[in-house]
Amino acid sequence: MRESEFHDVRWIEGESTSILLDNGKIEDINTNYGNGCGVRALCGGSWGYTSSEGVDGIDAAIKAAIELASDVNKHSPREKVTLASYCEPNVDTLPSVKENPRDVPVEEKVELLKDLSNNASCKGISSTSASYSESTLKVHYTNSEGADCEYELTRVGFAISAIASDGAAYQIGRESNFDVCGYEMFRDPEILEKAQSAGKTAVDLLDARQAKGGKGPVILDPELAGVFAHEAVGHASEADLVLEGSSILADRIGEEIASPLVNIIDDPTLHKFGYYPFDAEGMQSHKTDIITDGVLNSYLHSRETAGKLGGVSGNSRSQGYSAPVVRMSNTYVDNGNSNLDEMLEELGDGIYLAGTRGGQVNTGEGIFQFNAEKGYIVENGEIGYLVRDVSLSGNTLEILKNVVLVGNDLKMHSGRCGKSGQAIPVSDGSPHLLISDALVGGVQ
Amino acid sequence: MQNYDIGNKVLEFANKYGADEAEVFISANQLTSASVRRNLIESARNQQSHGLGVRVVKDGAVGFASTNVFNRLEETVKSAIAMAKVRDSDEDWKNLPSNGKYPAVNGIFSKKVNELALEDCISLTKEMIDGVCSFSDIIAPSGSFSRMVSNQLIMNTNGVEVEEKSTAVSGFVDVITTSGLPSTAYDFRISRDLDIDFYGIGKEAANLANSCKNGVSVESGQKDVVFHPFAFSDIMESSFLSSIEADNIQKGRSSLTGKLNTDIAARELTITDNGILDGGIASSISDDEGTPSQSTGIIKDGLLKSYIYDSYTAGKEERSSTGNAVRGSYTSTPSVGTRNVVFDHPASDIISEIKDGVFVTNVIGAHTANPISGDFSVEGRNAFVIKDGQIEKPIKSLMVSGNIFELLRNVKGAGDDVRMVGSIITPSIWVSNMNVIG
C-alpha cells in the first residue's frame, strides 16, 4: 500500500420518508434506507476521494483514495497542504427530539398535509401542493490522527405552495419550514397560519401591479435580507473561494467593507436547520463573526484553508457521501436598533421588497441578483399598493455600504444551499434593512 | 449478485407480499472526476453509486421505497407495499408500461470513455488549464473534468426488461482576470463520446473574460437581444419547459393548457423533444419506466403540437406515453420531464441584421422565473453592445426581463452556432422587444 500523510472516513447511515400531496391527493409517498462512506486521502498537496454506497469495503476505499491522491501528486503536483491541527469535538449540543417522527403513523402525516392544503385553499386558489419530509442521519467520523466521533440528527419539515388563477394569469405563494427537531414542529398551530399566508400571497399577487425598474432606496424584509447575507456575503466569505481567487472579499480582512451598523454571523451551533455538532472533518462547530461593526473579521474555513490562511476550521460540509466543501450553516445579519416604522419613515418614497424566489451571485465580481416574492410601493412612509416580478441586483460591497438602518426584528428562514453540485441544509436571516440606493428590476 | 438476479428477487418478493404490479429500477454509476483550484489539479475522485427503487401497485394504489443495501430487498419491498396501503385506490392509475418495441439509439456508449485511465483524465484536465493559460493575466479559480459510466436496468411484472449502458464526459472551467477590475466567464462541454476539445474550453472561457474587461453601461429600453445558447437554454429550462409537461397541464399549472394547435410561437421556430437523438445526453432506448423512447414534435410552424407524457398522465387521457418518465435517481419515483429538447430555426448572419441591440452570453438568476406565468428577470453576463451589425463593447451590467410566451412570438432569427447545452440543443436566438435595464 502506498503512503499518504492523512486520510479520513465518514460513514453515513440514513433513513428518510417523504410525502407529496397534490390538490389534497397523495401524489408521491416514498421511503429510503441507505448507507455508505466517503473517504479522503492527502498526498503532498493532492487529494484523493472515493465514495461508495452500501456496506462493502472501507479498507478498499481507503486504499483507492490513497492511490488517487498519489497519482495526482505524481502527474500534477501542488504545493504541500498543511492541515490546521485537529482536536476531538464535544458532541453535547445536540437538539432534542421530543417526538420521534418515525413513531407517528404515516396516516397522521397525510392528514397533516391535508390540513395544510385546506388552510392554503382560500378563495381564488386553483391548486395546492404540500410536502412533508423527515430524515434521520447517523454520521461516524474517523481519521488517521485517531479521531473517532459520531452523532445522530433528526430533521423534519414541510413546504406548501398555492396557485391562484383568474383564468388568464397564474401566481404562486410558497411557505416552508425545516428544522432540526422532531414531529413536535407540527404541533404548533403557527404552521397552519403559514399555509394561509401562502394562499393569501398567491391571490394578492394576481391583482398586483407590475413594478417599474430603476435605482432608489429600498427596505428589505428579513427573508430577502437573509438571502442577501447568505448569497452575497456568506459565499464570498468561504475561504476556498477566497484562495482560488473568486471572492471579492479576498485580502480585505480588517477592512471596513460595510456600514458600521452591519454585523454578519455564521453559527452552526444554533438549533436551526443549518445546525451540526461537528463538521465533515470531525471539527467542533463554532460561531464565526464574519463582519463585525462593518469590518470584515473572518472567513469560513476547512482545515486546509485554515492551515493556509490562519483561522479556525469547522465549516466543511457535504451532502451524503460527497467530498467536503467549505460551506455556511446558519447565517444572519444581527439585530440593530430600528423598528420598521422608523425605517418606513426614513425611506419616505421607495419600495419595500419582501420574500424571495431565489437568487444567484457572482462572488468573483461581487455581483448578485435576487428575485423578491413581492414588493410594496411606499409613499410618504406609508405602505401602499402591491407589485410583483421585482428583483434586486447590484454590487455586494456597494449594498453593504448603503445600509442606513438595521431593524431589531431578526427572523430566520430555512432552506437548502447549492455549491459544487451538493445541496445541504442551511438557514439564513436578518432583521429589516434600509438600503439608501439599490437597483430594482421590474418588468416595465 | 448481478442486477438481473437482484431485479428478479425484488419482483418475486413483490409477488409474495401481494403486489398486483411491481417495477424495479436499478442504477449503477461510476463517476471519475478531477477538480481544479487556481490552475492546479486539487483532487481526483472516484464515486460509486449502486441502488434500487421499487414501485408497487396494490389495489390501485402506488407505493415506493428505495435502498442501496442489497441484503434488505425484502424489507424494501415491504415498505413500498406499506406505503401503497396508506393511499386510496387511484382511478386514474392504469398500468405499468408493457414490453414495447425499442428503438435503436446511437452514440450513447463510448468504449474510449469507458476505458479512460486516471492518467488520461488528469491530462485532459491539464489541457483545459493550458487553454486558460494561453491568455496572460487570466486564471482558472475552479474547474472540473468528469467521466461517468452508467448501467441501468428496469424490470417490471408486465414483461419490461430494459438494460442500458451509457457514458458521458464533460469539462467545465471558471475563469477570472487577475489585473484591473475582475472580469469572469465560464465554458462547458459535455458529450457521450471523447470528442471534446478540452484546450478549447479553457481558451474560449479565457477569451470571453478577456473581451469583457472594462465594460460600459447601456441605456434602458426595449431592444433586440441575441441570446447565446447558454443564456437561451438557461431561460428556457426555468421558464418554459415545465409548461409542456402533461401533469402541469392536467393540474392547471401551465399557461399552455388548452392551447394545442394554436399559434404560440414565431412561424419558423421548431421545438422537438427527442429521446432518441444520436449522442444526446438524455437519449436512451427507453424512458425511466421502460416506455420506448421517441421523438415528439412540441412546436411546429408556430403551432403547439403536443405536450409530453409519462404512462400515468397518458393513462388519464386514454392516450399513449411519449416516453417522458424521468427520475432524478434510484431514490425517486418517475415523473414527467423533458428528454433532449431541440430548438430549430433557419440560420442567418443575425448580428449583421441588428442595428441596435445586445448580445447576452449567459444569465444569472434564471431559476427565479415564474414557471407558470413565464415572467422572468435575469442579470445578463458577458454581454456586448450590438451596433450597426457589429458586436462592439462589453456591457458592465444589465438586467433583461420579459415573458417567455411573448419571447417565443418575438423570435426573429437564429445563428448557425448550434450547441448541446446538456440536454438542450439550440443555436443563438435573436429576439426583438426585450426589456433591457442598464
Side-chain angles (χ1 to χ4, degrees), chain B residues 220-240:
Chain B
S220 303
Q222 300 279 112
K223 286 185 198 294
D224 281 349
V225 174
V226 176
F227 294 102
H228 179 273
F230 281 166
F232 190 71
S233 57
D234 203 0
I235 293 171
M236 278 293 153
E237 192 166 6
S238 303
S239 56
F240 174 70

Side-chain angles (χ1 to χ4, degrees), chain A residues 22 26-28 31-33 35 47 49-51 53 75 127-128 170 244 360 362 365 371 391 443, chain B residues 37 42-46 48 50 66-68 87 126 184 251 253 330 333 365 368 372 381 399 435:
Chain A
D22 212 285
I26 300 174
E27 168 98 355
D28 192 19
T31 65
N32 174 263
Y33 171 84
N35 60 35
W47 289 99
Y49 188 84
T50 55
S51 71
E53 295 191 314
H75 296 292
S127 77
T128 59
Y170 299 89
E244 75 182 26
Q360 237 170 310
N362 179 321
E365 294 183 45
N371 284 27
S391 63
V443 174
Chain B
R37 288 270 188 201
E42 173 192 56
S43 68
R45 299 179 192 172
N46 200 334
Q48 320 255 5
H50 190 191
S66 61
T67 190
N68 61 9
R87 303 175 70 167
K126 278 183 168 171
T184 62
K251 287 173 188 157
R253 286 178 193 164
Y330 69 84
T333 49
T368 61
I372 301 180
R381 303 295 307 151
M399 300 279 294
N435 188 31

Side-chain angles (χ1 to χ4, degrees), chain B residues 43-60:
Chain B
S43 68
R45 299 179 192 172
N46 200 334
Q47 292 168 270
Q48 320 255 5
S49 113
H50 190 191
L52 65 89
V54 184
R55 189 159 55 144
V56 298
V57 186
K58 173 83 184 150
D59 301 326

Side-chain angles (χ1 to χ4, degrees), chain A residues 285-333:
Chain A
S285 61
H286 64 92
K287 178 176 164 182
T288 302
D289 296 316
I290 300 171
I291 295 178
T292 304
D293 302 333
V295 176
L296 181 64
N297 180 61
S298 177
Y299 302 127
L300 302 177
H301 286 289
S302 65
R303 290 184 66 192
E304 177 176 350
T305 66
K308 185 126 182 171
L309 290 174
V312 186
S313 80
N315 282 79
S316 269
R317 300 183 67 189
S318 71
Q319 177 187 5
Y321 325 117
S322 300
V325 179
V326 179
R327 305 297 292 261
M328 281 169 268
S329 59
N330 304 304
T331 313
Y332 60 95
V333 179

Side-chain angles (χ1 to χ4, degrees), chain B residues 38-353:
Chain B
R38 221 181 160 102
N39 286 354
L40 294 169
I41 297 176
E42 173 192 56
S43 68
R45 299 179 192 172
N46 200 334
Q47 292 168 270
Q48 320 255 5
S49 113
H50 190 191
L52 65 89
V54 184
R55 189 159 55 144
V56 298
V57 186
K58 173 83 184 150
D59 301 326
V62 181
F64 182 84
S66 61
T67 190
N68 61 9
V69 181
F70 292 95
N71 58 16
R72 284 178 55 108
L73 298 180
E74 192 164 359
E75 289 93 326
T76 307
V77 170
K78 277 159 87 174
S79 36
I81 287 178
M83 293 298 124
K85 284 183 172 163
V86 177
R87 303 175 70 167
D88 298 328
S89 173
D90 180 354
E91 60 196 30
D92 290 323
W93 175 262
K94 297 290 187 297
N95 293 106
L96 286 171
S98 295
N99 200 8
K101 190 170 176 343
Y102 294 98
V105 182
N106 299 317
I108 299 305
F109 179 82
S110 154
K111 213 171 154 230
K112 267 196 241 163
V113 172
N114 186 43
E115 287 167 3
L116 269 185
L118 182 68
E119 213 178 314
D120 304 324
C121 298
I122 290 173
S123 63
L124 291 171
T125 314
K126 278 183 168 171
E127 279 179 28
M128 206 158 64
I129 301 169
D130 289 345
V132 175
C133 296
S134 66
F135 282 77
S136 55
D137 295 337
I138 293 184
I139 59 160
S142 68
S144 62
F145 166 92
S146 74
R147 184 276 305 264
M148 174 89 106
V149 179
S150 309
N151 201 343
Q152 180 171 307
L153 171 68
I154 305 166
M155 291 169 80
N156 73 24
T157 48
N158 294 342
V160 164
E161 199 175 288
V162 198
E163 187 179 30
E164 195 162 37
K165 214 171 171 187
S166 62
T167 53
V169 61
S170 66
F172 171 85
V173 69
D174 262 328
V175 301
I176 188 164
T177 55
T178 52
S179 59
L181 283 175
S183 164
T184 62
Y186 70 85
D187 201 10
F188 164 78
R189 297 264 174 189
I190 183 165
S191 176
R192 295 286 200 180
D193 204 353
L194 200 57
D195 53 6
I196 294 176
D197 173 7
F198 284 91
Y199 184 85
I201 294 174
K203 192 175 166 186
E204 279 180 38
N207 184 35
L208 187 57
N210 191 48
S211 37
C212 289
K213 287 197 278 200
N214 307 316
V216 297
S217 52
V218 280
E219 278 184 24
S220 303
Q222 300 279 112
K223 286 185 198 294
D224 281 349
V225 174
V226 176
F227 294 102
H228 179 273
F230 281 166
F232 190 71
S233 57
D234 203 0
I235 293 171
M236 278 293 153
E237 192 166 6
S238 303
S239 56
F240 174 70
L241 295 185
S242 65
S243 58
I244 63 169
E245 294 169 2
D247 56 337
N248 289 326
I249 299 289
Q250 292 166 354
K251 287 173 188 157
R253 286 178 193 164
S254 164
S255 293
L256 296 181
T257 302
K259 298 266 171 70
L260 277 186
N261 294 309
T262 65
D263 219 331
I264 67 156
R267 185 139 304 264
E268 291 188 299
L269 181 69
T270 301
I271 304 179
T272 312
D273 177 272
N274 190 348
I276 52 175
L277 182 76
D278 277 4
I281 286 304
S283 295
S284 59
I285 59 174
S286 85
D287 71 0
D288 286 345
E289 58 180 356
T291 301
S293 297
Q294 65 176 53
S295 173
T296 308
I298 305 299
I299 292 179
K300 198 158 188 258
D301 300 330
L303 300 178
L304 177 65
K305 299 308 289 181
S306 180
Y307 306 124
I308 55 172
Y309 296 84
D310 63 1
S311 67
Y312 178 72
T313 53
K316 265 188 176 175
E317 294 181 24
E318 306 280 348
R319 55 156 294 151
S320 53
S321 163
T322 53
N324 284 92
V326 300
R327 304 191 201 227
S329 82
Y330 69 84
T331 60
S332 54
T333 49
S335 60
V336 182
T338 54
R339 307 288 296 277
N340 301 292
V341 180
V342 184
F343 291 82
D344 272 318
H345 190 284
S348 64
D349 185 7
I350 47 178
I351 301 295
S352 72
E353 296 170 53

